[in-house]
Amino acid sequence: MSGEKKSSTLNVSIHNASIEKARTPDVQYEDVTRWEGSQETDFGGESMLPKPPTLTPEQEKRLWRKVDLRLMPILTLMYLVSFLDRGNARLQGLQSQLHLTGINTILPCLVLKKFRPSRWLPGITVTWGIIMTLMGLVKNYPQLVGVRICLGVAEAVFPWCVYYLTMWYPRHELQFRIGIFVGAASLAGAFSGLLAYGISFMSGTRGLLGWSWIFILEGIATVVCRYAFHAVLVDFPVKAKFLTPEERAFVIWRRRYENSSVGEEEHFETRHVWAALSDWQVWLHILIYMSVVVPLYGITLFLPFGHTAAISQLLTVPPYVFATMVLYVFAYYSDKIKMRSPFILAGLCMCLIGFAINISNAPTGVKYFGTFFCVAGSYAAFPGVVAWLGNNLAGQYKRGIGMALHIGIGNFSGAIAANIYRSRDSPRFILGHGLELMFVGIGFVCLPIAIVSYIRINKARDVAQRVALEGGTKHQLTPREIRELGDRAPEFRYTL
């Protein structure tokens, strides 16, 4: 009995100290006592690893750089090849040959399942590469729609990549990593313009127009890249052979205990589905997501400047290069100050300026200047929108399902953007730009609601915790109950 009492007292003191640590902005990583008893949250044999080492800030930075060098290049390449074909085929004759009056983009609503990343991600990569190649052989609109539906299902790699990163990185180091491979998409906008310009000279070869060759050649390149993905991707930190056992333990410990004194739930239960579906922040963040992604897809798919197709391809390059630079600046400082909302707000302001310029009767050169704001604002805010919800959902499966809903439903924005820019509205596109401004306005409404809600909840939990500590009491929750509460646990604090 005496031993049990001492153990209970020790656990309470560790628990209370950990709560104080969770409230402190500058977390001290030397306390690794909570690793003991991690068998309760074991995932894939994590409890068999040695106790995580004590690392200095400089040693920890070197460890994350080591992880970055292994994961980020291959994820960046994967997202780059999935984004190369978007938009440029229209300029090279797709619309006129197939008699399109708008591009119908159908993007799937994703349901998260558990797969080995080293097999699943390369598998869907080769699938979308084959389908993209077949898109170059379609002859009419019904064929295009059928193949495009298949491509949309296979090409949904982004949610998987984001969730994969949450298995590795602490929540306040996540946005820069998401930004790295999302930056690949904006670079793809620049590079694909140059690539499509070169491929356009193949128009007429073997009876195929330039847009067909764009899909065929970029699809083949995607299939070839699949072999590199399979060879390099690592499933999860516990299986990472490029790290020592001690380094694996530290990566897992940092992720598991950064926002909870007792770790996160690692095993699936059906209640996680309802927890995500019934969480108010998931649905609010979907609206914030759409306020950024509708402009992103609109400007990605349609950058007409009243020039020839070849010149238009080249003119798409500078806005995307500028967007990539802004994206990396936003992502770096967002992680540095551990806040997402200020940078999302800045991106929305840039979109507002850009689309306001483009809906006006300004000269073409001024409108082209406005596209820099449209592209940079939407792309730079995008990683923050995704990282923000990921930061504020606790529990591996609730987070995975919530992010799948967030990105999957939000990606219907692609279908919206593709259909509001009607060919008959060219060249001014008043309807399209006006609706883009409407979605930006939705962001200006929903963003403050999220911020105020998070501030109120955090303050209420701070007060409750302070009262409990001053009174010498604490909440009567077991570690298992705290894990089950996830982001609704008394010690959890939402990122702003």
Side-chain angles (χ1 to χ4, degrees):
M1 288 293 293
S2 176
E4 291 179 2
K5 188 172 183 179
K6 288 180 181 179
S7 175
S8 175
T9 303
L10 177 62
N11 287 338
V12 169
S13 63
I14 291 174
H15 177 74
N16 289 337
S18 300
I19 291 178
E20 281 299 303
K21 205 176 295 295
R23 296 175 60 223
T24 306
D26 298 320
V27 179
Q28 301 297 315
Y29 303 135
E30 285 76 7
D31 180 8
V32 294
T33 55
R34 289 172 295 180
W35 187 254
E36 297 175 2
S38 60
Q39 289 86 350
E40 296 181 12
T41 56
D42 180 76
F43 176 76
E46 292 173 351
S47 61
M48 302 301 293
L49 293 172
K51 185 177 179 178
T54 298
L55 300 183
T56 65
E58 185 57 37
Q59 289 173 325
E60 186 177 356
K61 286 181 181 179
R62 286 200 295 269
L63 173 58
W64 293 125
R65 282 198 293 269
K66 187 175 181 180
V67 175
D68 289 340
L69 289 173
R70 181 58 182 262
L71 301 185
M72 298 316 303
I74 200 67
L75 292 178
T76 300
L77 179 61
M78 184 179 297
Y79 198 52
L80 175 67
V81 297
S82 79
F83 223 85
L84 274 178
D85 69 304
R86 304 181 187 187
N88 300 106
R90 180 176 188 263
L91 294 172
Q92 295 300 336
L94 173 64
Q95 184 175 19
S96 59
Q97 183 178 356
L98 300 186
H99 309 290
L100 305 182
T101 56
I103 298 177
N104 292 293
T105 305
I106 303 176
L107 299 171
C109 180
L110 304 173
V111 179
L112 186 66
K113 296 181 180 179
K114 185 179 176 182
F115 288 97
R116 287 183 58 185
S118 62
R119 293 182 179 179
W120 174 250
L121 291 176
I124 60 174
T125 300
V126 71
T127 301
W128 92 57
I130 293 171
I131 296 172
M132 190 192 303
T133 303
L134 295 175
M135 283 187 69
L137 303 177
V138 301
K139 300 300 182 183
N140 54 52
Y141 178 70
Q143 292 176 3
L144 176 67
V145 171
V147 178
R148 187 62 186 89
I149 291 173
C150 297
L151 181 63
V153 174
E155 205 176 37
V157 66
F158 179 71
W160 295 88
C161 289
V162 173
Y163 179 64
Y164 178 65
L165 290 178
T166 68
M167 299 290 290
W168 287 81
Y169 292 99
R171 63 177 183 164
H172 292 135
E173 305 219 13
L174 184 62
Q175 182 171 336
F176 184 69
R177 274 72 185 191
I178 295 175
I180 288 175
F181 73 84
V182 170
S186 56
L187 282 179
F191 179 65
S192 65
L194 293 173
L195 185 62
Y197 174 72
I199 295 175
S200 67
F201 290 102
M202 295 182 64
S203 185
T205 303
R206 296 187 176 274
L208 299 175
L209 292 182
W211 68 265
S212 293
W213 286 112
I214 290 174
F215 285 129
I216 291 171
L217 295 181
E218 292 179 358
I220 292 173
T222 301
V223 174
V224 171
C225 289
R226 177 261 181 196
Y227 297 99
F229 302 155
H230 181 71
V232 176
L233 270 178
V234 180
D235 287 329
F236 299 108
V238 70
K239 302 294 185 182
K241 294 183 179 179
F242 70 96
L243 299 176
T244 66
E246 290 76 14
E247 289 172 334
R248 292 179 225 166
F250 186 86
V251 169
I252 294 166
W253 174 79
R254 279 284 282 117
R255 173 185 56 79
R256 179 183 293 170
Y257 292 103
E258 65 169 340
N259 55 16
S260 173
S261 62
V262 295
E264 287 192 321
E265 284 195 301
E266 302 279 1
H267 300 286
F268 177 75
E269 294 182 21
T270 54
R271 60 182 172 80
H272 295 139
V273 177
W274 175 247
L277 286 170
S278 61
D279 196 324
W280 62 270
Q281 56 177 329
V282 171
W283 301 102
L284 183 62
H285 276 268
I286 286 173
L287 293 176
I288 298 173
Y289 183 94
M290 295 181 76
S291 74
V292 170
V293 176
V294 173
L296 185 150
Y297 274 110
I299 206 66
T300 298
L301 296 172
F302 303 97
L303 284 171
F305 303 115
H307 299 285
T308 63
I311 298 300
S312 292
Q313 297 283 14
L314 295 177
L315 285 174
T316 62
V317 176
Y320 284 107
V321 173
F322 174 68
T324 304
M325 293 188 292
V326 177
L327 183 154
Y328 289 140
V329 171
F330 278 22
Y332 174 79
Y333 283 103
S334 179
D335 277 350
K336 188 176 180 66
I337 68 172
K338 300 179 181 180
M339 294 185 72
R340 309 300 181 209
S341 55
F343 300 94
I344 298 172
L345 179 61
L348 289 171
C349 289
M350 294 178 72
C351 288
L352 177 64
I353 295 170
F355 283 105
I357 291 173
N358 274 274
I359 202 172
S360 70
N361 200 24
T364 302
V366 177
K367 289 189 175 186
Y368 179 58
F369 172 73
T371 62
F372 281 75
F373 287 93
C374 297
V375 179
S378 56
Y379 270 100
F382 182 60
V385 172
V386 176
W388 197 14
L389 182 62
N391 290 165
N392 289 337
L393 293 176
Q396 286 295 323
Y397 282 94
K398 181 185 176 182
R399 182 183 302 117
I401 295 167
M403 294 180 74
L405 289 169
H406 184 220
I407 297 171
I409 296 175
N411 272 356
F412 280 108
S413 304
I416 295 171
N419 287 283
I420 63 177
Y421 282 94
R422 303 176 303 181
S423 301
R424 64 176 178 271
D425 296 331
S426 178
R428 195 170 172 185
F429 293 108
I430 293 178
L431 176 65
H433 292 325
L435 290 174
E436 298 281 24
L437 287 169
M438 181 196 74
F439 278 99
V440 172
I442 291 173
F444 280 119
V445 172
C446 294
L447 189 67
I449 293 175
I451 295 170
V452 172
S453 299
Y454 286 143
I455 290 174
R456 291 182 64 182
I457 295 171
N458 285 348
K459 284 185 177 179
R461 291 177 182 176
D462 285 340
V463 171
Q465 179 179 294
R466 185 169 59 252
V467 170
L469 291 174
E470 289 173 354
T473 61
K474 70 181 188 70
H475 53 73
Q476 303 298 315
L477 297 174
T478 65
R480 181 174 183 177
E481 289 171 334
I482 295 173
R483 281 193 293 271
E484 289 178 353
L485 284 172
D487 51 85
R488 299 190 179 187
E491 63 190 52
F492 187 91
R493 297 298 181 269
Y494 290 109
T495 298
L496 300 179

